[in-house]
Amino acid sequence: MALLVAGAFFMEILDATIIAPAIPAIAASFGVAAVDVNVAISAYLVTVAVLIPASGWIAGRFGIRPVFLAAIAVFTVASVGCAVSASLPMLVVMRVAQGVGGAMMVPVGRLAVLRSSTKADLVRAIAMLTWPALAAPVVAPVLGGAIATLGSWRWIFFVNIPIGIVGFLLALKLIRGGPAPSVKPFDWRGLLLLGAGITAALVGLEHIRVSGTDWSVVAAGALVAVGCLTAAVWHLRRTTSPLVELTVLRVRTLRITVSGGSLYRLVITAVPFLLPLLFQLEFGWSAFTAGLMVAALFIGNLTIKPITTPLMRRFGIKRVLLVNAVLSVGWFGLLAVLHPGMPTAVIVAVLYVSGALRSIGFTAYNSLAFADVDGEDLTHANTLNAAVQELAAGLGIAIAALLVTVLASYTWAFVALGVLLAVTIVETLRLPGDAGAHVSGAR
């Protein structure tokens, strides 16, 4: 079940950015400016982020199994619609439909895994669910560029069809979970406030560019986001049936994962965004060569994965997070000194180790998130963590673009990201020494 949900997670994240390298081809096909096609990316991201908070209630009302099956079906059918789109407006509508499927598919699938896993098996299950978030952002530019170069951009969406069909058939056999005996009323006000706040934040972030940033849109998005999200928190803390139960943050391990783990996600998401720009604009490499080089991160992610669980079992989650954070901060210093005259083998080695460190940190945070959460609190904790992680990923790309714009240097942008990552050390120090020991098996 964990592998099935991981595959769905990979497909959902991959589709968030895979069309980016194909934007010129899509624009030429529809006879529009390339910049106009960005709305197809934004529409998908906004839809996923806005609907994630509702996923917990929907899973409770209709059952995990039917919602997960419907989500895969919607995502797959929408992919067909994207592939055969005859105009940009049609593509945007189909991307919104994909976002609807993606928003339900991943959180609900993860909830199924969490509810079916014992505390002893949680770390292994989380490790399986972690690799897509690390691999997909790295693979997407390479795969999207290769498909757009060697074939038609429409095949970017056609490849989802066989994956979706296989996933649907496996879900029929593997996924379980009926409706809850009684479900609280749906919190429409909470959804509207959270949706408006998240949408405003993502729209503002999407307008931050390495060049040509419209700061008025960014400022307006920030103001609306702060206002709506503040009102949402006030509402969620006072209503009797909140869309997301904020009281789950009383669990220290979850609270630190939401804060420190989100900052970690923000920083590591920025790296696959900055590296292709660095390699193309500073090193003079082609888009495809830059994408292949960034794939070293992906290889580091995968090859270290088998030992992440033994590491946490041997040393404990807190110690792993601390050592990983210190090494990662130092490694950002190495990323900062990459230059065109550096031997290719050295660059590959730096990226490989960076990918391995990303994998260890992300797996440790995700294992810690639900270590002390039980029962019905799992639904709210899963929904809250998913929504915050989605925002962190979007913010990471925006902050990376902002740093390059303001500092006018990739070197200093990596240094600044390393400083941000160092803040997670402070959060990790607040953890008890045996944090998550009952799920990692550490002694």
Side-chain angles (χ1 to χ4, degrees), residues 351-368:
L351 298 187
Y352 175 86
V353 176
S354 177
L357 292 172
R358 285 156 47 92
S359 182
I360 294 171
F362 210 10
T363 301
Y365 271 119
N366 283 344
S367 300
L368 186 65

Side-chain angles (χ1 to χ4, degrees), residues 16 24 34 52 74 144 157 180 186 192 213 220-221 225 287 297 299 302 316 319 335 338 363 384 422:
I52 278 178
V74 169
F157 301 105
F186 188 71
L192 291 175
T213 297
L297 286 172
I299 298 172
L302 287 186
R319 190 175 300 174
L335 291 173
L338 294 179
T363 301
L384 177 63

Side-chain angles (χ1 to χ4, degrees), residues 140-355:
V142 182
L143 185 60
I147 292 175
T149 301
L150 301 176
S152 167
W153 63 266
R154 299 181 186 276
W155 282 100
I156 288 174
F157 301 105
F158 276 130
V159 295
N160 286 335
I161 299 171
I163 298 174
I165 292 173
V166 172
F168 187 88
L169 294 176
L170 289 175
L172 283 173
K173 180 178 179 60
L174 298 176
I175 301 295
R176 295 291 180 265
S182 62
V183 178
K184 299 177 181 178
F186 188 71
D187 181 13
W188 289 103
R189 183 177 299 177
L191 178 63
L192 291 175
L193 288 172
L194 284 173
I198 293 172
T199 299
L202 290 180
V203 169
L205 295 175
E206 278 290 304
H207 280 78
I208 296 178
R209 301 282 187 267
V210 176
S211 60
T213 297
D214 188 341
W215 291 109
S216 62
V217 175
V218 175
L223 288 174
V224 173
V226 170
C228 289
L229 292 177
T230 301
V233 171
W234 186 89
H235 166 75
L236 293 173
R237 293 182 63 183
R238 286 162 177 77
T239 187
T240 55
S241 302
L243 183 68
V244 179
E245 185 62 73
L246 296 181
T247 56
V248 294
L249 291 175
R250 68 182 181 275
V251 179
R252 186 194 298 184
T253 48
L254 174 64
R255 185 172 65 251
I256 291 177
T257 301
V258 168
S259 57
S262 296
L263 181 58
Y264 187 85
R265 173 78 178 270
L266 182 155
V267 173
I268 67 171
T269 301
V271 176
F273 170 77
L274 285 179
L275 286 175
L277 293 177
L278 171 67
F279 292 148
Q280 292 178 69
L281 302 180
E282 298 289 324
F283 287 37
W285 294 352
S286 68
F288 188 64
T289 301
L292 286 177
M293 183 62 71
V294 176
L297 286 172
F298 172 54
I299 298 172
N301 293 339
L302 287 186
T303 53
I304 201 68
K305 185 62 66 180
I307 71 169
T308 53
T309 299
L311 277 176
M312 288 186 285
R313 183 176 296 119
R314 173 66 178 83
F315 299 105
I317 291 179
K318 178 178 180 178
R319 190 175 300 174
V320 167
L321 283 174
L322 281 174
V323 173
N324 183 78
V326 172
L327 291 176
S328 296
V329 170
W331 226 257
F332 267 92
L334 293 179
L335 291 173
V337 298
L338 294 179
H339 58 86
M342 187 174 286
T344 301
V346 174
I347 298 175
V348 170
V350 170
L351 298 187
Y352 175 86
V353 176
S354 177

Side-chain angles (χ1 to χ4, degrees), residues 23 26-28 30-38 88:
I23 282 179
I26 296 173
F30 293 148
V32 299
V35 70
D36 294 334
V37 181
N38 281 341
L88 182 58

